[in-house]
């Protein structure tokens, strides 16, 4: 695992799930990239956490994502059998004078026969449309 210390999601419910402390947790994979490693202009932070075969932890991660989504400036949510299968949230900047936008995406593959929950946190001076194109939403 390659990690860079970034604290971009501070103040959000998802914050503890993107901690390097989780990198050794069974069934959890964590990727954290920032700066030039991303190779995408205007995107400054990319964080991904996947929980597979650790359903209790995956449920808590999903609950945290959905709680942050309630504060989103805009959202896209897709349900499968009445449960959230997919969520994309655009959050306002953190309010400390930054102009960076924050985005959270979550997919619960367990609802379609898979075994994992994926959550992605992105931050940067990048539009919602550009983020959606970057991660191929609606394609």
């Amino acid at each position: 695992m390659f990690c860079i210390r970034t604290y971009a999601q501070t103040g959000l419910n998802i914050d503890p799930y993107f901690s390097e402390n989780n990198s050794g947790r069974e069934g959890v994979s964590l990727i954290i990239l920032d700066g030039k490693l991303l190779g995408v202009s205007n995107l400054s932070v990319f964080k991904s956490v996947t929980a597979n075969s650790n359903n209790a932890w995956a449920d808590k991660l999903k609950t945290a994502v959905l709680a942050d989504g309630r504060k989103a400036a805009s959202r896209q949510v897709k349900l499968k059998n009445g449960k959230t299968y997919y969520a994309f949230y655009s959050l306002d900047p953190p309010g400390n004078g930054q102009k960076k936008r924050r985005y959270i995406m979550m997919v619960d593959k367990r609802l379609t026969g898979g075994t994992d929950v994926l959550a992605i946190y992105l931050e940067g001076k990048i539009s919602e449309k550009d983020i959606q194109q970057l991660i191929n939403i609606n394609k």
Side-chain angles (χ1 to χ4, degrees):
M1 182 185 72
F2 180 74
C3 288
I4 297 172
R5 291 194 182 275
T6 56
Y7 303 97
Q9 75 288 339
T10 300
L12 297 174
N13 292 293
I14 60 169
D15 186 22
Y17 298 94
F18 288 96
S19 167
E20 291 178 31
N21 296 333
N22 291 313
S23 64
R25 185 180 297 272
E26 186 175 343
V28 175
S29 301
L30 180 67
I31 299 170
I32 302 173
L33 302 172
D34 70 358
K36 292 182 181 181
L37 291 173
L38 289 167
V40 177
S41 64
N42 296 324
L43 185 61
S44 53
V45 176
F46 172 93
K47 295 184 178 192
S48 169
V49 63
T50 303
N52 53 26
S53 70
N54 191 336
N55 281 326
W57 197 85
D59 289 341
K60 291 177 184 177
L61 169 62
K62 183 176 180 176
T63 298
V65 169
L66 297 177
D68 287 330
R70 287 191 285 276
K71 299 176 273 184
S74 67
R75 62 186 55 80
Q76 289 181 5
V77 176
K78 296 180 183 177
L79 303 177
K80 189 77 117 178
N81 298 321
K83 296 182 180 181
T84 303
Y85 161 71
Y86 165 85
F88 177 80
Y89 301 116
S90 176
L91 305 167
D92 289 326
N96 56 4
Q98 293 186 26
K99 295 190 181 202
K100 294 179 182 177
R101 300 282 308 174
R102 304 181 298 168
Y103 304 93
I104 303 170
M105 186 187 105
M106 186 273 314
V107 178
D108 186 347
K109 295 179 183 177
R110 301 173 300 176
L111 297 175
T112 58
T115 60
D116 57 334
V117 173
L118 166 69
I120 298 174
Y121 174 86
L122 303 125
E123 181 178 290
K125 295 179 180 176
I126 187 167
S127 73
E128 183 173 331
K129 179 181 174 186
D130 288 342
I131 287 288
Q132 290 175 335
Q133 288 176 343
L134 180 69
I135 56 178
N136 293 316
I137 295 175
N138 298 323
K139 288 190 177 177

